[in-house]
């Protein structure tokens, strides 16, 4: 925790009491997230906690949405590659339409 806090340029020194308090706050947050996710997740029937339970909670719960980037839903590599390909095609189309608009403006 101390290493993370010292990476901030605004922090010059860290009081030991603050360090303990931040560690306790992080622990409480993780416990809450795990308990909430387990209670609402699919693993409750199996008495097992799954990554998908936490990622669903981060995406669906208003209070946990700040974790959505940290706990993304898992996707297959093939799905990810398909998404990347679609994004590149869209970027190329946008670039081509921008070029044709510039050519028309010059005429």
């Amino acid at each position: 925790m101390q290493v993370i806090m010292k990476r901030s340029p605004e922090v010059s020194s860290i009081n030991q009491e603050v360090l303990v308090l931040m560690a306790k706050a992080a622990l409480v947050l993780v416990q809450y997230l795990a308990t909430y996710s387990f209670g609402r997740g699919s693993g409750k029937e199996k008495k097992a906690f799954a990554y998908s339970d936490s990622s669903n909670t981060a995406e669906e719960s208003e209070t946990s949405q700040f974790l959505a980037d940290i706990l993304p839903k898992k996707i297959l590599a093939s799905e990810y590659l398909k998404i990347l390909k679609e994004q590149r095609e869209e970027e190329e189309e946008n670039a081509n339409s921008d070029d044709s608009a510039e050519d028309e403006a010059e005429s």
Side-chain angles (χ1 to χ4, degrees):
M1 182 68 71
Q2 187 173 9
V3 172
I4 295 170
M5 293 172 76
K6 281 192 173 183
R7 286 191 177 184
S8 176
E10 296 89 26
V11 176
S12 58
S13 65
I14 302 168
N15 186 335
Q16 191 64 28
E17 294 168 345
V18 171
L19 187 60
V20 171
L21 183 63
M22 292 300 294
K24 181 67 175 175
L27 177 66
V28 169
L29 174 67
V30 171
Q31 285 176 335
Y32 169 78
L33 179 65
T35 304
Y36 186 80
S37 299
F38 180 77
R40 297 181 54 118
S42 61
K44 192 172 183 179
E45 306 91 45
K46 302 175 194 173
K47 295 186 180 181
F49 183 72
Y51 175 85
S52 60
D53 296 337
S54 355
S55 65
N56 288 338
T57 297
E59 195 171 288
E60 296 167 3
S61 170
E62 280 187 38
T63 56
S64 302
Q65 282 188 348
F66 70 98
L67 295 170
D69 291 337
I70 299 169
L71 296 168
K73 287 192 172 194
K74 286 186 177 182
I75 61 172
L76 297 174
S78 59
E79 293 173 19
Y80 178 71
L81 293 174
K82 182 180 176 183
I83 292 169
L84 282 178
K85 183 179 177 183
E86 291 171 358
Q87 287 177 346
R88 286 184 186 137
E89 289 172 354
E90 287 177 13
E91 288 173 2
E92 288 174 4
E93 288 174 9
N94 290 339
N96 290 339
S97 64
D98 290 344
D99 289 343
S100 61
E102 288 176 7
D103 292 341
E104 289 177 12
E106 290 176 0
S107 299

